[in-house]
């Protein structure tokens, strides 16, 4: 794979391939994915031909081979290193590809003696959803909630003619373990609805670029497709003609894309059509599509993001946080095996801090995939640094039964891990070059949910910045760690406090709008008044949301005394003088964190400036520009939030700092 001109190499710069490119390597096996490995090796050798003495002949330092009878399972591989030869063996060609990229990640260390290891992905499905529109949407643009330029797949109302960039993207994704991708927005508009039928050849063209890297394509479809595209007068899941229509539609898709992954569906949500219009349940809806896909081995990803977005803000009994559980818990056990319920990690909508959705623990007889958001809709829109791996790791480590550490078995039995992609046609892929880490970390956590986020950060730094090749490796490493490692909590400090969420500008969701969603129909309230703030979601006196969890969490969240500080305002309405476990009052916590958050951004900006001599100029410049905006934005957040709460509460800052 040669590097594309003018596109950042992200975590696969040539230097990251040095250890492979300078050693003799042999690849044994057949099939398209084995050929991909062969091409990778050949390209690495071509890059480093001048430095290497290898001939590619009989002897080799690295042997990559397909071997019958291994126990690594689908996509897994074994790694043996005796110091003179390193062998990667896999039964499945996809395993060989992942084994190859594992060796790339290890670099020279892959060639030192070490005990044999078997690696296999904890989750079978590791998927990115692109919220890309084919036709530019008048409000949402080409990529809904996209902050990295246009779509990698679509331009001018069609699939891009030149898909070389898609191939390069597939390569990056495979190198961090991703194996599935949804190519269009879950809000399926009229043009995009046709991808399922008369425009499937465009999806097939994209699939052909992804498949050499082991990535299966998925398509978001409209539940109303039988009416919109098929001319039927209903989309009722119990109607025989509707069922036949979907069966034929699926068959047609598979004739064009034999390894097609399946459908993604947003139904009865934010204006999308769904089974409710026909008096049917979401299990009926999901099973309709699951049955159509089943003969071909496909899967339907049915999103659980169903709630009332036309709520009356005066009504304090309707709680949007309850909605997914209320809709889906009664349906547990009624979904087909190839229907996966795709649940956002929190009950609201990808806020910087939310509790883990109770749906994830409640549905023991349904396959559940957790959905994360790599695109930073509510976390700075790729103008602010916000490395989300620690937040995602908390989600994956959450045990519904209160035990410690991730329950890999439960995760593995589910439907995988999904993230809304943060990539676009920007030269840096993700707009903000440091946001590439979110994409990388997502793939790695989906492969290994108990991976340490700090170790993943170090891994990404080594690959992306190859510090050993620069003048001061230690300064580069420590600088990069410093600006990224705690950037999630820094962002949290200067934005909405203690789990209260939202407080953003309506519509585009960038920048502070403390009452932006307070008197709106979207169900997103903080209820701040002169005495206090927060939503009472207790069972005793509130909306009862806390009781959607099993013990011990239902008890932990039920009272302000037992609720963790960081989620206090999500679960409780408390006076400003309420004392947190930290010993501070809520109001003083708000003031302090907002001052601290800005100071942390100032420090990160200085650190980044100090790395100018060690980072490629274009990359350095882009990040430096974004820091100017982040600092401006963080100050705006600080001043608006602090002024708002000073004015509401009348309580002065104990530190006597300037509040407006
Ligand atoms: C694709 C939020 C976002 C929408 C998004 C929706 C969803 O509401 O703001 O842009 O729509 O979530 O996840 O379906």
């Amino acid at each position: 794979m040669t590097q594309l001109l003018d596109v950042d190499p992200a975590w696969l710069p040539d230097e990251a391939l040095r250890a492979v490119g300078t050693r003799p390597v042999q690849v044994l096996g057949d099939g398209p994915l084995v050929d991909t490995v062969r091409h990778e090796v050949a390209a690495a050798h071509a890059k480093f031909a001048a430095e290497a003495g290898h001939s590619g002949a009989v002897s080799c330092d690295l042997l990559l081979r397909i071997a019958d009878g291994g126990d690594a399972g689908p996509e897994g591989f074994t790694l043996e290193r005796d110091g003179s030869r390193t062998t990667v063996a896999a039964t499945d060609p996809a395993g060989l590809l992942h084994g190859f990229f594992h060796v790339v990640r290890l670099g020279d260390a892959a060639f030192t003696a070490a005990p044999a290891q078997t690696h296999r992905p904890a989750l079978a499905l590791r998927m990115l959803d692109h919220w890309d529109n084919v036709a530019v949407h008048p409000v949402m643009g080409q990529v809904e909630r996209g902050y990295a330029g246009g779509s990698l797949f679509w331009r001018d109302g069609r699939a891009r003619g030149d898909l070389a960039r898609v191939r390069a993207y597939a390569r990056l994704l495979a190198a961090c373990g991703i194996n599935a991708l949804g190519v269009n927005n879950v809000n399926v508009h009229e043009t995009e609805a046709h991808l399922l039928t008369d425009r499937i050849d465009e999806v097939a063209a994209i699939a052909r670029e992804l498949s050499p890297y082991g990535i299966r394509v998925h398509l978001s479809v409209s539940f109303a497709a039988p009416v919109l595209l098929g001319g039927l007068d209903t989309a009722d899941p119990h109607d025989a003609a509707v069922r036949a229509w979907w069966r034929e539609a699926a068959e047609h898709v598979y004739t064009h894309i034999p390894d097609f992954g399946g459908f993604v569906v947003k139904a009865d949500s934010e204006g999308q059509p769904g089974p409710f219009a026909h008096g049917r349940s979401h299990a009926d809806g999901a099973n309709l599509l699951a049955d159509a896909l089943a003969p071909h081995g496909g899967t339907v990803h049915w999103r659980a993001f169903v709630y009332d977005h036309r709520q009356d803000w005066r009504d304090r009994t309707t709680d949007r946080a309850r909605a997914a559980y209320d809709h889906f818990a009664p349906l547990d056990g009624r979904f087909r095996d190839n229907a996966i319920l795709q649940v956002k990690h929190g009950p609201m909508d990808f806020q910087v801090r939310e509790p883990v959705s109770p749906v994830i623990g409640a549905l023991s007889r349904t396959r559940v995939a957790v959905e994360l958001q790599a695109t930073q809709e509510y976390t700075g829109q790729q103008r602010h640094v916000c490395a989300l791996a620690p937040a995602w790791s908390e989600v994956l480590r959450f045990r519904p039964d209160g035990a410690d550490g991730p329950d890999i078995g439960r995760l593995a039995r589910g439907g995988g891990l999904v993230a809304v992609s943060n990539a676009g046609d920007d030269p840096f892929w993700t707009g903000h070059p440091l946001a590439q880490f979110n994409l990388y970390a997502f793939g790695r956590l989906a492969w290994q949910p108990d991976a340490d986020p700090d170790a993943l950060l170090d891994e990404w730094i080594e690959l992306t910045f190859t510090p050993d090749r620069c003048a001061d490796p230690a300064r580069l490493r420590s600088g990069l760690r410093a600006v990224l490692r705690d950037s999630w909590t820094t962002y949290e400090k200067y934005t909405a406090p203690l789990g209260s969420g939202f407080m953003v500008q309506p519509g585009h969701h960038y920048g502070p709008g403390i009452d932006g969603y307070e008197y709106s129909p979207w169900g997103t309230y903080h209820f701040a008044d002169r005495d206090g703030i927060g939503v009472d979601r207790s069972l005793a006196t509130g909306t009862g949301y806390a009781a959607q969890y099993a013990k011990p969490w239902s008890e932990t969240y039920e009272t302000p005394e037992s609720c963790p500080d960081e989620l206090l305002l999500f679960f409780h309405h408390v006076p400003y003088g309420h004392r947190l476990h930290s010993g501070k009052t809520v109001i003083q916590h708000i003031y302090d964190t907002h001052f601290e958050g800005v100071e942390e951004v100032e420090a990160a900006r200085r650190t980044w400036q100090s790395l100018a001599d060690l980072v490629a100029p274009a990359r350095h410049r882009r990040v430096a520009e974004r820091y100017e905006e982040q600092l401006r934005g963080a100050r705006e957040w600080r001043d608006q939030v602090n002024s708002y709460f000073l004015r509401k509460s009348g309580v002065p800052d104990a530190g006597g700092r300037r509040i407006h």
Side-chain angles (χ1 to χ4, degrees):
M1 176 83 214
T2 47
Q3 265 159 25
L4 297 169
L5 286 178
D6 299 329
V7 176
D8 189 77
W11 47 90
L12 288 179
D14 289 345
E15 279 303 327
L17 278 297
R18 171 179 288 274
V20 172
T22 51
R23 289 183 165 88
V25 181
Q26 229 185 341
V27 182
L28 298 178
D30 297 312
L33 293 186
V34 181
D35 288 343
T36 300
V37 175
R38 240 178 228 115
H39 289 143
E40 284 289 339
V41 170
H45 280 161
K47 288 283 171 205
F48 293 97
E51 295 171 48
H54 59 77
S55 63
V58 188
S59 94
C60 70
D61 289 358
L62 173 63
L63 174 63
L64 297 139
R65 67 185 177 99
I66 296 292
D68 291 336
D71 64 351
E75 298 190 288
F77 58 91
T78 56
L79 180 70
E80 285 174 15
R81 305 187 253 174
D82 66 12
S84 62
R85 174 181 287 188
T86 293
T87 304
V88 174
T91 45
D92 174 9
L96 206 67
L97 184 65
H98 292 302
F100 169 76
F101 283 122
H102 184 78
V103 169
V104 171
R105 277 196 295 274
L106 291 175
D108 285 331
F111 300 93
T112 53
Q117 294 172 335
T118 299
H119 294 262
R120 44 175 87 84
L123 306 182
L125 183 120
R126 308 174 301 279
M127 174 169 170
L128 280 177
D129 274 359
H130 277 258
W131 286 352
D132 296 14
N133 299 313
V134 177
V136 174
H137 185 268
V139 180
M140 290 300 172
Q142 178 105 63
V143 181
E144 181 155 346
R145 311 308 181 186
Y147 313 105
S151 168
L152 285 162
F153 310 111
W154 316 101
R155 191 164 60 189
D156 304 329
R158 296 201 61 74
R160 282 171 177 266
D162 177 5
L163 293 171
R165 185 96 194 253
V166 173
R167 182 73 69 104
Y169 185 49
R171 178 173 181 253
L172 286 174
L173 300 187
C176 64
I178 289 162
N179 67 356
L181 185 144
V183 287
N184 64 312
N185 191 357
V186 291
N187 289 327
V188 182
H189 308 293
E190 199 186 331
T191 305
E192 292 76 11
H194 286 267
L195 295 175
L196 173 63
T197 52
D198 47 307
R199 296 185 63 171
I200 191 66
D201 54 323
E202 293 173 61
V203 183
I206 294 166
R208 279 194 292 277
E209 301 301 322
L210 297 172
S211 135
Y213 282 96
I215 295 167
R216 293 172 85 184
V217 97
H218 294 242
L219 187 66
S220 294
V221 296
S222 167
F223 190 75
V227 178
L228 293 174
L229 308 171
L232 303 188
D233 58 7
T234 180
D236 183 349
H238 286 189
D239 185 280
V242 169
R243 300 184 72 76
W245 189 89
W246 277 109
R247 271 198 307 274
E248 276 168 34
E251 250 167 57
H252 177 72
V253 169
Y254 278 91
T255 56
H256 285 77
I257 311 171
D259 65 346
F260 181 70
F263 299 142
V264 182
V265 188
K266 173 175 177 177
D268 291 316
S269 171
E270 299 182 338
Q272 292 296 301
F276 284 162
H278 310 281
R280 307 296 181 198
S281 76
H282 277 245
D284 295 330
N287 291 342
L288 164 73
L289 274 66
D291 289 345
L293 290 162
H296 313 281
T299 305
V300 60
H301 284 250
W302 192 267
R303 294 180 83 234
F305 185 59
V306 179
Y307 71 101
D308 179 7
H309 73 288
R310 297 207 178 87
Q311 200 182 312
D312 183 349
W313 58 266
R314 298 165 194 82
D315 165 20
R316 282 175 88 140
T317 60
T318 306
D319 180 6
R320 170 170 164 179
R322 292 188 56 115
Y325 181 103
D326 285 344
H327 284 298
F328 289 97
L331 300 178
D332 190 22
R334 288 183 46 198
F335 292 91
R336 300 276 191 269
D337 280 351
N338 65 329
I340 290 173
L341 196 64
Q342 191 164 307
V343 183
K344 289 193 183 190
H345 69 78
M348 296 296 276
D349 195 12
F350 302 131
Q351 300 306 290
V352 67
R353 178 78 69 170
E354 291 187 38
V356 173
S357 167
V359 177
I360 293 167
L363 277 71
S364 58
R365 289 172 297 140
T366 303
R367 292 177 70 196
V368 171
V370 177
E371 183 180 293
L372 309 171
Q373 195 184 42
T375 195
Q376 291 173 236
E377 177 176 359
Y378 296 99
T379 49
Q381 303 198 348
Q382 282 136 256
R383 293 183 236 182
H384 298 220
V385 183
C386 187
L388 290 162
W392 296 339
S393 178
E394 281 190 12
V395 171
L396 295 167
R397 284 167 187 274
F398 178 85
R399 294 273 293 247
D401 60 1
D404 242 7
D407 181 352
I408 304 286
R410 183 177 58 85
L411 290 168
R413 285 190 300 279
L417 197 66
V418 180
V420 184
S421 178
N422 60 356
D425 71 358
D426 175 83
F428 291 96
W429 299 98
T430 51
H432 198 309
L434 301 183
Q436 288 174 4
F437 176 54
N438 286 334
L439 193 54
Y440 181 83
F442 162 71
R444 297 285 292 121
L445 282 169
W447 181 284
Q448 192 192 337
D450 60 355
D452 171 11
D454 287 347
L456 293 180
L457 176 58
D458 286 346
E459 192 178 284
W460 175 79
I461 288 172
E462 293 304 309
L463 288 169
T464 306
F465 293 86
T466 53
D468 282 333
R469 314 293 303 169
C470 85
D472 192 343
R475 178 157 59 90
L476 181 55
R477 286 190 180 101
S478 73
L480 287 164
R481 278 186 204 131
V483 299
L484 278 149
R485 195 164 43 200
D486 298 324
S487 54
W488 167 48
T489 46
T490 295
Y491 186 83
E492 180 181 30
K493 283 181 181 176
Y494 62 78
T495 57
L498 298 166
S500 54
F502 287 88
M503 299 192 176
V504 287
Q505 291 285 327
H508 57 70
H509 298 166
Y510 186 72
I514 297 156
D515 283 339
Y517 277 103
E518 195 57 16
Y519 306 100
S520 82
W522 295 89
T524 47
Y525 315 119
H526 54 69
F527 298 129
D529 58 23
R530 64 179 187 173
D531 300 318
I533 174 173
V535 187
D536 184 355
R537 293 191 160 106
S538 69
L539 180 63
T541 54
T543 69
Y545 167 81
Q548 291 185 337
Y549 294 87
K551 285 182 190 168
W553 297 111
S554 54
E555 292 174 343
T556 303
Y557 295 143
E558 177 64 16
T559 71
E561 290 68 38
S562 51
C563 185
D565 284 351
E566 67 274 14
L567 288 169
L568 182 68
L569 302 182
F570 189 91
F571 283 100
H572 297 283
H573 188 92
V574 295
Y576 292 113
H578 175 91
R579 217 161 269 286
L580 298 168
H581 298 111
S582 69
K584 286 185 183 175
T585 61
V586 165
I587 191 73
Q588 196 55 46
H589 172 95
I590 292 176
Y591 297 147
D592 288 351
T593 50
H594 284 76
F595 284 112
E596 273 165 35
V598 171
E599 284 158 19
E600 286 172 16
V601 176
E602 284 165 348
R605 176 167 155 269
R606 277 195 303 276
T607 303
W608 184 258
Q609 279 164 351
S610 76
L611 302 179
D613 55 328
L614 304 177
V615 174
R619 196 182 264 165
H620 191 272
R621 205 166 37 248
R622 174 70 76 89
V623 174
E625 284 162 15
R626 304 247 156 166
Y627 264 123
E628 296 311 307
E629 169 55 18
Q630 180 171 1
L631 186 55
R632 186 208 62 76
R635 286 178 176 152
E636 196 61 32
W637 270 100
R638 174 197 63 194
D639 292 342
Q640 288 203 27
V641 170
N642 283 347
S643 302
Y644 178 97
F645 286 104
L646 175 65
R647 291 175 193 181
K648 281 268 176 198
S649 70
V651 180
D653 168 34
R657 289 160 291 192
R658 180 142 195 246
I659 300 181
H660 303 267

